[in-house]
Amino acid sequence: MALLRRPLLLLLLIVTHQFLQFRIAFGSVNEEGQKQEEFYEELLLKPLPDRKLLTHFHFQSSAPPSTSNGRHHHLFPKAISQLVLKFQVKEMELSFTQGRWNYESWGGFDPIPSSNAKPPGVELWAVFDAPQHLIDALWKNLTHTLSGLFCASINFLESSTAYSAPEWSFPPASGKLRYGTLPREAVCTENLTPWLKLLPCRDKAGISMLLDRPSIYRGFYHSQRLHLTSTGSGSEGMDPGIILEQTLTVVLQPDSQRASLAHASEKHIQPSWSLSSIFGKQISGRCVLAETSSVYFLLDKGLVAELEHIHKENEKSEENVLISEKFWNNPSFELSAKPDRIFIEESSLLSKNASVLYKFEIEKYGESEPFDLGLFWKTPVVWLCQQAPLHANRFLMGSGNERGAIAISLKSTQSSEGFMGSNSNDERCELRVDVFQVVPWYVKVYFHSLQVFVDQQPKAVSDIIEKIHVSPSKDKVSPGVMELVLTLPCSVSSAVLTIEFDKGFLHIDEYPPDANQGFDIPSAIEKSPVMSYTEVLLVPLTTPDFSMPYNVITITCTVFALYFGSLLNALRRRVAEEERFLKDKAAKKMDRIPLLLSKLSAKLRGRHLEGPQAPPASSSFINSKSVLKVILIAGLAVYWQYYFS
Amino acid sequence: MAETKEKSLSDEKPKPRVRPIVRLGIFLISHSFHVSVVCCTAGVLALFLLPVLAKNTYISENALMPGSASPMLSNQHVSDGNRLVKDLTNPNSKSSETGIESHKIIAQYMLDLGAEVSFHKFHPQMNQFHPLHFFSSPDSGKIQENYSCSSYGINTVGIIRAPRGDGKEAIVLVTPYNALKSGFGEALSLGIAYSVFSLLTQVTWLAKDIIWLVADSQYGEYAAVAAWLREYQTPKFSSLSAPNAEMCPDVNNLFELKGHSISGSKFSNSFRRAGTMAAALVLKVRDQNEQFEDTISIYAEASNGQMPNLDLINVVNYLAVHRQGLRVNVEKLWSLLNSSWLKSLGEIFESLAKVAKSLYPKWKFGIPATEYVEGTATLASSLYYQALGVPTGPHGAFRDYQVDAITLEISPKFSLDKVWRNDILLRGGRLIEGVIRSVNNLLEKFHQSFFLYLLTSPSKFVSVGVYMIAFALLIAPLPMVAASLYVDANSSSKRSKGDSSTPSAITDTDEHSIAIRSWSPTTSFMIWVLLSILSLLTLNSVLASPLACAKATQEKEWALVKSVTISSVFIGLGLMSVINFATAEIGALLMVPMCLLAQPLKLDVRAGTLRSFCRMICNLVLGHIAFPPAAFFLLKGMLDGFGNANVGDFWMWVESLWAWNSATYLFIGMVQLPCWVLCISILFHTC
């Protein structure tokens, strides 16, 4: 259908647009032939070692460069193109993630984890194609637009305390990149629905039909990503070409009967699954607007090696079973559908094993015959995913509300010899590690306290760190940013960076509603050279007792009143003068009405000063008499109440 | 007093207007005797009224929602737990001398559940006394050079990552376990923890990571937990003291587990962490038990009288009583339960309350006498353990890092039946599950409920606002009496104050003799007493007597000394009440009457009236009671019977205070003993 439409469209465009300039540009498009709005949909399935399944949806829409006036799109989402135009976005990535990517068992070296493993919550970075002084304003507007577009509180990244401008950790952008994260943002269907709206078929047809909300949110990891790049428009009046990549990475656990756990032999068989069992749906046909629509099934290196090993042990037949005729029905596992193509990775330098990719075209399937790929394991298989050379961990040290320290520990995964080869010189094998860390301003990091330990030996910072870029935080203005480039020897087994901080105080109205939960330090990024994110940290800060403002106000007011009252009194009063004044008064008025005055003054002064004047015995007698009277009356009342009620 | 009155009479005529607050102050000072009698009586009375004034606990944090979800722990998990108990109690597993086998079994069980497992080796650390480190976190500890391979412990740590959580927070479950001589109770506690752990690997509601720490308790439960926490919170990255445990053969043996485990990546010999700890539960099962009911005891006191948030205790209490039908206990002084005077006091309060209620039906403050006695016994022990400043279990280590923690000790009714064992596994497991689920529900850290409280029963508490009244009443007369004494003494003769060099002397000797360690407690105690007396007498003869000789005519010297004593007691108690309230409260009970009553015996003998005779007797009795060793001896004798009490016990007690870094030690050395010495010097004053 797309093929049919294309000539029609071209004709229409030629007729309507008379500009020479445009015709030239258009001509160039026409020559290449492919510069149409295009849409691809793909799904990749990959079994993971810990009985889980990685499903990775990949949708790509692209729009070629074209004129800006009155431009309508056929496939490409208009919201995105408007956004790119308005905010002059050169490149942007937005991800919503729930859960943690388990680098140890799910691997960290393949392209999927290295570009799709994201920190929990929302992460956004964007490169702008605009003059330096406009970038902050553009970023702020962009966050608000995205916030509205994706029903998320991305607008909180607007505040200058929430974003930073890294220099080396992301694509080089010479100060035109802005980066911000919201670690606490919850991700749910309300974020997925607008994301799906950007697809031409939404979730009504094609691979996206599988996106059954309950099953994808039941997963162990859920990351929804949107990445767009605009290929700069060379000339005025042209809209840039945009490539929009939307990926959804979900790690799911196929249901397995717990009863089988009891049997030791079946204990380690990987669970069998099919698309309908994990998603509750099948693919009934492709999205007709898509150029290609395909499903891939990936067996990674370690698994392939293990399967071949098993096969060799069983029957000593031909070398490569996985790509032979009966690949879908081999002794280890069975695929329910026949793949259309098989790709084998070109073997890398050292390892002779290569990952195997099976491709299934969706075009063949339709309503009557829906596509439902299933995998049935026959024998237990144990393998390991390929690890990144270093595994990064981050944790807090110390306790209390005063100070603490952040430690980033890098551990060699040992399974990286093959990788090391590519990076080593003959004389000195070195491993370059980039570390990027943003800390909020209320965590006051002392950059001078940076310490490095390599293989449990303290090292001078200058020996290990090749480059460092630090921008200290400003209170209530900007976060602290630290970018490091470390060079570690390849034989390193562990390295630790520690940096100390003081916990700051916030103003009462700067506390979030759930201040007692603690405050997040966003994930650090470690690149060696594949990118990985560390954990989010939770720093408990001192919080006022929000429920007791009344008590606080009362007690402070009382204390202040007492203090200032007595202070003023002490400063103001002149005792001698007062005495003289009193004497004068007494002398004047003694003769006239002495009785009345003395009575009055006695009343004013209170009774107990009168006490000493009278003989003590009598006063106590009077007092005890009145007390006795009171007791008598009370006793009578009690007696009355007790016996007559 | 009479003099002040005279004075006020004499300058009555040209009287300036005195401000009411000053007048009130003068009035109180001039009537300080009555005031102090009234206040002290009221203070003691208020203390005894506390069980009556106790309020019912309530769950303050709404997010906890205890018991709102039905427990998911099924018989399947219980049988899993039973399997572990069987494997651990199996004689084969104990063949190894170091008990490494059982650690391997536990680790293998954890790995089979899909948890991340690591071992943590530690060396038991000597306690060090830091005089002023009350609430600051412990430092990472001194590296000791003489580690040997024979003395190390192994904690086994299993971590479940919350499937959809962000890993910022964690809940810790601790089961102390001594692999060398483990009783059935310890194995059972591991079984309970394992059944909960196996449930938690499957649930989807988990928002915080779960850490299960099997603490190797061969060097003490506290030491193991504290070592793990130290490594968790303040790790040492540089290992300069190289003779590490890695060299020891046994430990290498331990890591062979990695070889035959299936999910190899889950096991690592490096230290594993999860996020900030939200709460910790220490679970123990007592071995032998004579009770007829399944009970669960809660221990909450951490170092220096710090308590976990009351909500944590509330949740445990609520779930245990209303969901699992367990009886909940908090520590009591059992000997108080049978005391007849307390019972009669309770009856008096009860009848008073009855009368009050008949007068005005809305006055409902009475509680039955038996309840009163129980409440008092619980309150007394609560007060005592807080005052002691020594944690009552491994949970104390967590409190040092501001983590709320309690120890739960399940004491099942004794039976070896398998049904019974399953029942206790199920109920204990469901209780732990419920508590973990509640804590898991928390969005914020514990902050809603009280941190300063005394328990009078598992479901009743006295908050700080109430129990402060008793203390405030007790110490309120002190400044007035001091002022009035000073005024009296000053008005008669302008003199400088007496010997105040004694307090420093006594603390000096105190610490000096602490360093001598090789003797038995009794001998060292005796040596301490002798040394103190000797040094005191010497100092007195050197410093105090020349002064006394020079001003031989000084009549009111004792009054000045008393004034100084009282004000120093007041300052000391005031400071202590900030650090450890319970210590200050008990100290006030002992010292305030003594300080207020102290008067030279000679004067009383000279007066010869009945009143002065009574005062003399009181002085002598109080002078004995307020001496810390005597008070300790008396208390111990009252509680355990005088037959068991030994003089050396006090030495041991003080040493334990020292070893646990308790502020009470400082209080005794720097406030109570000096003031006692001053009071005694007043009693034997030659005037």
Side-chain angles (χ1 to χ4, degrees):
Chain A
M1 201 169 150
L3 283 170
L4 278 176
R5 190 182 283 170
R6 198 184 297 165
L8 264 174
L9 179 75
L10 299 189
L11 243 157
L12 201 76
L13 287 173
I14 291 167
V15 170
T16 45
H17 298 277
Q18 298 294 321
F19 304 107
L20 186 70
Q21 200 180 9
F22 177 70
R23 209 180 282 166
I24 292 165
F26 185 70
S28 74
V29 170
N30 210 7
E31 276 163 20
E32 283 176 28
Q34 283 295 316
K35 295 283 181 181
Q36 270 296 327
E37 287 187 3
E38 281 163 351
F39 175 67
Y40 304 93
E41 56 175 5
E42 282 152 355
L43 166 65
L44 182 114
L45 301 162
K46 178 185 165 189
L48 293 173
D50 59 345
R51 309 169 63 78
K52 297 191 177 70
L53 176 72
L54 171 77
T55 56
H56 178 70
F57 294 85
H58 181 260
F59 306 99
Q60 183 175 334
S61 326
S62 54
S66 56
T67 51
S68 56
N69 41 357
R71 165 82 181 169
H72 290 281
H73 293 280
H74 293 278
L75 300 175
F76 197 80
K78 192 168 180 181
I80 296 295
S81 70
Q82 281 175 341
L83 184 140
V84 169
L85 268 185
K86 189 161 183 198
F87 305 120
Q88 298 160 51
V89 179
K90 201 171 164 200
E91 193 172 357
M92 185 192 93
E93 187 173 78
L94 172 68
S95 69
F96 297 87
T97 310
Q98 191 183 47
R100 291 161 280 175
W101 182 265
N102 188 342
Y103 284 98
E104 279 179 52
S105 49
W106 301 343
F109 191 66
D110 302 329
I112 293 174
S114 61
S115 65
N116 290 293
K118 288 283 168 190
V122 167
E123 188 202 46
L124 172 70
W125 59 263
V127 184
F128 297 92
D129 190 16
Q132 197 74 44
H133 64 277
L134 287 177
I135 285 178
D136 283 328
L138 284 175
W139 165 267
K140 282 173 190 177
N141 287 327
L142 176 71
T143 56
H144 277 269
T145 314
L146 287 173
S147 171
L149 201 58
F150 288 101
C151 300
S153 32
I154 306 171
N155 55 325
F156 285 111
L157 290 176
E158 168 211 41
S159 130
S160 63
T161 54
Y163 67 86
S164 56
E167 303 246 321
W168 313 315
S169 304
F170 287 93
S174 64
K176 294 187 173 181
L177 189 138
R178 293 291 178 272
Y179 171 86
T181 55
L182 296 170
R184 207 170 281 184
E185 182 74 11
V187 181
C188 201
T189 39
E190 62 175 4
N191 307 120
L192 183 69
T193 312
W195 184 85
L196 281 174
K197 277 187 181 170
L198 303 177
L199 301 176
C201 296
R202 308 223 167 152
D203 56 346
K204 300 286 183 263
I207 287 169
S208 52
M209 272 181 79
L210 288 177
L211 295 174
D212 174 46
R213 306 299 190 278
S215 18
I216 59 171
Y217 284 103
R218 202 187 294 137
F220 285 70
Y221 175 80
H222 172 101
S223 176
Q224 154 195 343
R225 196 170 68 101
L226 180 135
H227 182 262
L228 62 88
T229 34
S230 69
T231 51
S233 57
S235 50
E236 288 290 316
M238 283 280 286
D239 278 356
I242 311 168
I243 297 170
L244 171 69
E245 255 184 290
Q246 286 172 269
T247 61
L248 178 69
T249 314
V250 184
V251 175
L252 293 162
Q253 177 130 45
D255 292 330
S256 60
Q257 297 79 19
R258 195 182 144 68
S260 66
L261 276 176
H263 305 289
S265 59
E266 288 178 37
K267 202 170 176 178
H268 305 297
I269 283 204
Q270 293 279 327
S272 303
W273 50 263
S274 67
L275 285 182
S276 54
S277 79
I278 52 174
F279 290 113
K281 285 181 177 173
Q282 296 165 321
I283 304 174
S284 51
R286 67 189 190 105
C287 171
V288 284
L289 298 171
E291 301 287 315
T292 60
S293 175
S294 40
V295 174
Y296 297 92
F297 176 67
L298 176 70
L299 299 175
D300 72 5
K301 251 183 219 172
L303 179 55
V304 169
E306 192 65 34
L307 289 176
E308 278 174 2
H309 180 67
I310 289 171
H311 189 72
K312 264 184 212 163
E313 275 187 0
N314 285 354
E315 39 187 299
K316 304 202 176 340
S317 62
E318 73 267 48
E319 272 282 289
N320 221 339
V321 209
L322 295 167
I323 50 167
S324 69
E325 282 293 303
K326 287 182 181 175
F327 51 84
W328 68 89
N329 190 8
N330 69 31
S332 307
F333 67 89
E334 190 181 325
L335 283 172
S336 70
K338 189 182 172 211
D340 300 300
R341 273 178 170 180
I342 299 171
F343 300 92
I344 299 170
E345 187 193 18
E346 284 208 16
S347 44
S348 47
L349 291 172
L350 288 172
S351 61
K352 58 181 188 226
N353 294 308
S355 49
V356 177
L357 192 67
Y358 300 92
K359 184 181 183 184
F360 302 88
E361 302 278 358
I362 302 299
E363 273 138 49
K364 299 188 294 187
Y365 302 91
E367 285 287 347
S368 53
E369 191 202 355
F371 177 73
D372 184 13
L373 181 68
L375 178 74
F376 181 74
W377 290 98
K378 294 173 181 169
T379 50
V381 190
V382 178
W383 78 98
L384 285 176
C385 275
Q386 198 184 0
Q387 303 277 326
L390 290 175
H391 181 235
N393 247 322
R394 194 178 58 159
F395 51 89
L396 282 178
M397 304 199 304
S399 65
N401 285 325
E402 211 179 345
R403 58 178 71 91
I406 303 173
I408 299 176
S409 99
L410 305 167
K411 284 214 176 66
S412 166
T413 49
Q414 285 140 22
S415 61
S416 50
E417 290 84 16
F419 165 75
M420 295 288 189
S422 64
N423 210 19
S424 63
N425 304 327
D426 285 338
E427 314 89 54
R428 236 175 110 205
C429 168
E430 275 182 345
L431 190 62
R432 183 190 141 116
V433 185
D434 292 15
V435 176
F436 170 59
Q437 167 79 70
V438 181
V439 279
W441 66 265
Y442 40 79
V443 175
K444 293 173 177 159
V445 171
Y446 294 116
F447 291 102
H448 74 273
S449 64
L450 181 72
Q451 280 181 298
V452 186
F453 299 89
V454 176
D455 290 332
Q456 298 183 327
Q457 300 296 325
K459 287 277 162 80
V461 171
S462 52
D463 291 352
I464 297 297
I465 293 177
E466 191 182 291
K467 267 203 292 186
I468 182 164
H469 169 234
V470 159
S471 72
S473 62
K474 273 185 220 154
D475 276 8
K476 296 165 203 198
V477 175
S478 66
V481 182
M482 181 175 75
E483 279 180 282
L484 300 172
V485 178
L486 310 175
T487 45
L488 299 172
C490 286
S491 58
V492 70
S493 72
S494 76
V496 181
L497 299 169
T498 63
I499 189 161
E500 287 166 23
F501 63 82
D502 269 0
K503 299 180 180 181
F505 289 103
L506 273 74
H507 190 257
I508 182 96
D509 52 13
E510 284 164 343
Y511 283 99
D514 53 352
N516 277 298
Q517 191 184 349
F519 292 79
D520 292 325
I521 299 183
S523 295
I525 300 171
E526 179 258 347
K527 210 154 75 174
S528 64
V530 283
M531 205 186 239
S532 68
Y533 289 85
T534 63
E535 298 90 342
V536 177
L537 294 179
L538 188 71
V539 188
L541 292 187
T542 35
T543 44
D545 191 350
F546 297 106
S547 61
M548 281 196 182
Y550 171 75
N551 295 3
V552 174
I553 289 167
T554 320
I555 199 157
T556 41
C557 285
T558 315
V559 167
F560 270 83
L562 279 175
Y563 173 69
F564 281 112
S566 42
L567 190 73
L568 275 179
N569 243 336
L571 288 174
R572 206 202 90 235
R573 280 183 66 177
R574 293 174 210 172
V575 183
E577 212 160 297
E578 255 176 52
E579 270 174 25
R580 197 160 46 82
F581 180 70
L582 270 179
K583 263 183 198 165
D584 284 1
K585 240 184 180 177
K588 257 184 217 167
K589 297 185 178 179
M590 197 49 99
D591 45 355
R592 282 183 198 169
I593 27 168
L595 262 169
L596 207 78
L597 202 93
S598 64
K599 264 186 190 174
L600 199 77
S601 65
K603 266 189 185 172
L604 280 172
R605 277 173 200 172
R607 202 163 282 170
H608 57 261
L609 267 187
E610 217 173 29
Q613 265 180 320
S618 78
S619 83
S620 72
F621 178 66
I622 289 165
N623 279 346
S624 63
K625 211 173 170 183
S626 61
V627 166
L628 263 178
K629 272 181 195 167
V630 169
I631 288 174
L632 193 72
I633 291 166
L636 274 175
V638 166
Y639 180 79
W640 183 267
Q641 183 80 18
Y642 199 66
Y643 283 98
F644 294 94
S645 63
Chain B
M1 262 192 306
E3 282 154 9
T4 46
K5 273 169 200 165
E6 275 174 22
K7 214 167 82 179
S8 62
L9 269 174
S10 65
D11 46 36
E12 171 65 24
K13 282 295 170 193
K15 191 167 189 63
R17 245 184 322 179
V18 183
R19 298 187 57 233
I21 191 158
V22 178
R23 242 190 288 151
L24 192 72
I26 291 170
F27 174 74
L28 284 177
I29 287 170
S30 59
H31 292 79
S32 62
F33 175 71
H34 301 281
V35 170
S36 55
V37 167
V38 169
C39 280
C40 280
T41 331
V44 176
L45 198 70
L47 195 63
F48 280 105
L49 266 175
L50 286 184
V52 180
L53 298 174
K55 282 189 282 186
N56 281 325
T57 54
Y58 55 95
I59 286 157
S60 180
E61 171 71 87
N62 287 328
L64 283 168
M65 295 191 291
S68 59
S70 51
M72 293 165 78
L73 194 87
S74 65
N75 286 318
Q76 174 71 39
H77 304 112
V78 168
S79 63
D80 284 355
N82 240 330
R83 223 156 22 91
L84 177 67
V85 173
K86 256 181 225 156
D87 279 5
L88 284 178
T89 46
N90 196 356
N92 294 339
S93 68
K94 291 188 177 174
S95 57
S96 160
E97 268 181 28
T98 47
I100 273 177
E101 279 306 311
S102 21
H103 284 288
K104 275 189 183 173
I105 292 172
I106 297 167
Q108 193 58 56
Y109 267 80
M110 285 179 183
L111 275 177
D112 289 348
L113 289 178
E116 294 175 10
V117 181
S118 62
F119 288 117
H120 166 237
K121 302 177 296 293
F122 67 94
H123 295 269
Q125 204 162 29
M126 291 298 292
N127 275 313
Q128 285 161 322
F129 187 67
H130 304 287
L132 290 170
H133 279 202
F134 300 131
F135 300 121
S136 64
S137 55
D139 47 10
S140 52
K142 217 172 87 181
I143 297 169
Q144 282 169 322
E145 298 296 331
N146 51 352
Y147 283 150
S148 63
C149 281
S150 56
S151 70
Y152 64 90
I154 300 160
N155 291 330
T156 313
V157 186
I159 299 179
I160 305 174
R161 305 282 173 192
R164 259 158 287 173
D166 43 14
K168 289 189 290 197
E169 286 175 283
I171 304 170
V172 188
L173 180 63
V174 182
T175 48
Y177 178 66
N178 187 349
L180 290 184
K181 43 169 195 241
S182 69
F184 183 65
E186 279 188 338
L188 206 59
S189 73
L190 282 177
I192 294 175
Y194 178 75
S195 55
V196 175
F197 204 63
S198 69
L199 166 77
L200 293 176
T201 48
Q202 294 158 16
V203 294
T204 50
W205 44 256
L206 220 53
K208 298 177 167 68
D209 295 351
I210 305 288
I211 306 175
W212 178 20
L213 169 68
V214 181
D216 190 351
S217 61
Q218 51 178 320
Y219 301 105
E221 294 161 0
Y222 185 91
V225 176
W228 179 76
L229 273 170
R230 207 180 304 124
E231 181 69 29
Y232 194 100
Q233 299 277 15
T234 50
K236 276 251 177 289
F237 296 115
S238 59
S239 60
L240 288 173
S241 59
N244 241 335
E246 272 86 6
M247 310 222 170
C248 308
D250 276 338
V251 180
N252 293 336
N253 202 14
L254 201 62
F255 295 127
E256 278 170 21
L257 185 71
K258 189 165 48 175
H260 61 82
S261 98
I262 291 303
S263 41
S265 68
K266 293 277 187 182
F267 180 86
S268 73
N269 48 16
S270 61
F271 193 83
R272 279 182 183 272
R273 284 184 176 78
T276 313
M277 284 180 258
L281 291 173
V282 183
L283 179 69
K284 291 202 264 186
V285 178
R286 195 183 283 174
D287 264 333
Q288 72 276 13
N289 186 30
E290 60 285 344
Q291 277 164 343
F292 305 104
E293 253 183 305
D294 294 337
T295 56
I296 177 163
S297 316
I298 299 178
Y299 298 92
E301 289 87 1
S303 57
N304 284 318
Q306 297 179 81
M307 298 290 277
N309 198 286
L310 188 56
D311 265 344
L312 191 59
I313 295 175
N314 289 347
V315 168
V316 172
N317 181 46
Y318 178 85
L319 287 171
V321 173
H322 297 286
R323 290 292 181 273
Q324 304 308 325
L326 294 162
R327 226 171 59 105
V328 179
N329 255 342
V330 279
E331 191 76 346
K332 277 177 211 169
L333 290 181
W334 293 100
S335 49
L336 278 183
L337 286 180
N338 305 324
S339 64
S340 51
W341 63 274
L342 211 57
K343 209 169 277 174
S344 50
L345 193 65
E347 274 156 11
I348 291 169
F349 282 136
E350 194 185 353
S351 50
L352 270 178
K354 223 175 260 171
V355 171
K357 197 184 175 185
S358 66
L359 287 178
Y360 187 63
K362 278 190 182 170
W363 287 347
K364 278 182 270 186
F365 54 78
I367 55 168
T370 51
E371 205 175 301
Y372 175 79
V373 173
E374 252 180 53
T376 316
T378 317
L379 183 79
S381 97
S382 189
L383 208 59
Y384 174 70
Y385 284 112
Q386 285 191 26
L388 206 56
V390 175
T392 50
H395 61 267
F398 285 96
R399 190 64 239 178
D400 293 342
Y401 297 93
Q402 284 85 42
V403 179
D404 293 297
I406 50 172
T407 298
L408 303 176
E409 192 179 53
I410 300 175
S411 26
K413 57 173 186 281
F414 187 64
S415 144
L416 274 173
D417 200 1
K418 192 162 184 293
V419 180
W420 159 81
R421 194 204 280 182
N422 279 346
D423 178 60
I424 205 69
L425 276 174
L426 188 69
R427 279 159 68 184
R430 283 189 170 171
L431 173 67
I432 301 294
E433 181 208 338
V435 176
I436 285 182
R437 188 156 193 177
S438 281
V439 177
N440 181 62
N441 285 343
L442 269 185
L443 290 174
E444 307 176 277
K445 66 181 183 211
F446 279 109
H447 72 285
Q448 282 274 0
S449 198
F450 294 91
F451 283 100
L452 301 168
Y453 55 88
L454 296 165
L455 288 174
T456 63
S457 86
S459 60
K460 281 194 160 186
F461 75 104
V462 187
S463 80
V464 58
V466 178
Y467 71 65
M468 248 177 65
I469 295 170
F471 177 72
L473 282 172
L474 270 176
I475 64 161
L478 292 180
M480 293 165 205
V481 173
S484 91
L485 279 171
Y486 180 75
V487 167
D488 281 7
N490 235 19
S491 57
S492 63
S493 56
K494 309 263 183 235
R495 291 276 175 245
S496 62
K497 52 182 178 167
D499 56 340
S500 55
S501 59
T502 32
S504 61
I506 196 139
T507 46
D508 281 350
T509 50
D510 222 15
E511 271 153 22
H512 168 63
S513 48
I514 282 286
I516 305 161
R517 286 187 153 243
S518 51
W519 293 304
S520 80
T522 318
T523 19
S524 36
F525 177 68
M526 287 305 175
I527 288 169
W528 171 69
V529 168
L530 282 176
L531 268 176
S532 323
I533 290 174
L534 206 69
S535 61
L536 271 179
L537 285 179
T538 356
L539 280 171
N540 201 43
S541 58
V542 170
L543 295 172
S545 49
L547 277 170
C549 289
K551 326 267 182 192
T553 51
Q554 192 171 7
E555 291 163 26
K556 289 275 185 176
E557 197 207 41
W558 68 269
L560 276 179
V561 175
K562 189 176 169 183
S563 162
V564 168
T565 313
I566 288 177
S567 35
S568 67
V569 164
F570 179 69
I571 294 168
L573 286 174
L575 284 177
M576 195 59 206
S577 71
V578 180
I579 298 163
N580 188 347
F581 188 86
T583 310
E585 175 86 59
I586 292 178
L589 260 183
L590 287 175
M591 290 162 67
V592 168
M594 179 185 70
C595 290
L596 288 179
L597 276 175
Q599 197 170 352
L601 294 174
K602 246 184 191 174
L603 282 183
D604 284 337
V605 172
R606 227 180 276 158
T609 56
L610 183 68
R611 192 177 157 186
S612 59
F613 182 68
C614 285
R615 183 159 58 199
M616 206 169 74
I617 297 291
C618 283
N619 267 333
L620 284 176
V621 170
L622 285 172
H624 278 105
I625 289 177
F627 184 46
F632 175 79
F633 189 71
L634 208 68
L635 202 72
K636 204 168 163 51
M638 254 165 44
L639 298 181
D640 304 343
F642 284 95
N644 304 330
N646 181 7
V647 186
D649 285 350
F650 178 70
W651 186 260
M652 305 274 278
W653 184 75
V654 172
E655 267 198 343
S656 83
L657 287 187
W658 180 83
W660 288 100
N661 245 331
S662 171
T664 311
Y665 175 77
L666 285 183
F667 174 77
I668 290 175
M670 297 183 69
V671 180
Q672 183 146 16
L673 270 178
C675 290
W676 178 79
V677 169
L678 283 173
C679 280
I680 294 298
S681 73
I682 292 168
L683 286 188
F684 293 106
H685 195 268
T686 54
C687 49

